[in-house]
Amino acid sequence: MTENSDIIQCGVDDCAGGSGTTDSPPTPVLSPFLQTQRRLRQRDISGQTRLEPFSFDERDTLQRVAYERRLEELRHVEERQRLSVTSFRANAVRRYKPLVLRQSTRPLTVPRNPFSRHDDV
């Protein structure tokens, strides 16, 4: 026998350096089973691993439709907010005391040209 088969077939007490007498049968050799293989089988059963051709046009169309739907929803929300906030009501016309203009008692000023050299004082 090879060294590997001796190690695999040895009992728990033999490998651990026990008393040399084993009451348990040798450990059976099991092939490694990965969880990924189990998941793959489950997906095959549920039909998730079927490969379908990928289309960029279809993906872009779906993204565009979703984007337009979001824009339309935002427009509706903004419209509702605008209507609720901007309910306009006119204010009443204010009435003030009438303005009385009186005649001035001060004499009128004489217009002067600022660039003239004449001192008409």
Side-chain angles (χ1 to χ4, degrees), residues 31-79:
S31 64
F33 183 76
L34 303 176
Q35 291 297 323
T36 55
Q37 293 172 347
R38 183 182 61 82
R39 287 189 208 112
L40 181 63
R41 273 194 244 130
Q42 285 178 347
R43 287 188 195 124
D44 284 341
I45 292 171
S46 64
Q48 292 179 359
T49 57
R50 278 183 264 138
L51 295 178
E52 297 178 4
F54 183 75
S55 172
F56 285 105
D57 295 334
E58 182 180 341
R59 182 196 65 181
D60 293 343
T61 304
L62 292 174
Q63 286 179 348
R64 189 177 325 112
V65 168
Y67 177 73
E68 289 173 358
R69 190 176 302 132
R70 280 186 303 224
L71 280 180
E72 189 67 27
E73 183 178 326
L74 286 174
R75 285 186 195 123
H76 285 300
V77 168
E78 289 175 359
E79 183 71 19

Side-chain angles (χ1 to χ4, degrees), residues 6-116:
D6 289 338
I7 294 174
I8 292 174
Q9 292 180 357
C10 71
V12 175
D13 293 332
D14 292 340
C15 293
S19 63
T21 60
T22 59
D23 295 333
S24 63
T27 306
V29 177
L30 299 174
S31 64
F33 183 76
L34 303 176
Q35 291 297 323
T36 55
Q37 293 172 347
R38 183 182 61 82
R39 287 189 208 112
L40 181 63
R41 273 194 244 130
Q42 285 178 347
R43 287 188 195 124
D44 284 341
I45 292 171
S46 64
Q48 292 179 359
T49 57
R50 278 183 264 138
L51 295 178
E52 297 178 4
F54 183 75
S55 172
F56 285 105
D57 295 334
E58 182 180 341
R59 182 196 65 181
D60 293 343
T61 304
L62 292 174
Q63 286 179 348
R64 189 177 325 112
V65 168
Y67 177 73
E68 289 173 358
R69 190 176 302 132
R70 280 186 303 224
L71 280 180
E72 189 67 27
E73 183 178 326
L74 286 174
R75 285 186 195 123
H76 285 300
V77 168
E78 289 175 359
E79 183 71 19
R80 277 185 256 139
Q81 286 177 350
R82 188 181 59 82
L83 289 175
S84 66
V85 170
T86 59
S87 58
F88 177 76
R89 290 188 174 198
N91 293 325
V93 177
R94 295 183 181 171
R95 298 188 184 252
Y96 297 99
K97 293 189 292 183
L99 184 63
V100 178
L101 296 175
R102 292 178 283 149
Q103 189 70 24
S104 174
T105 57
R106 291 177 45 187
L108 295 176
T109 59
V110 179
R112 292 187 194 167
N113 187 352
F115 301 107
S116 141

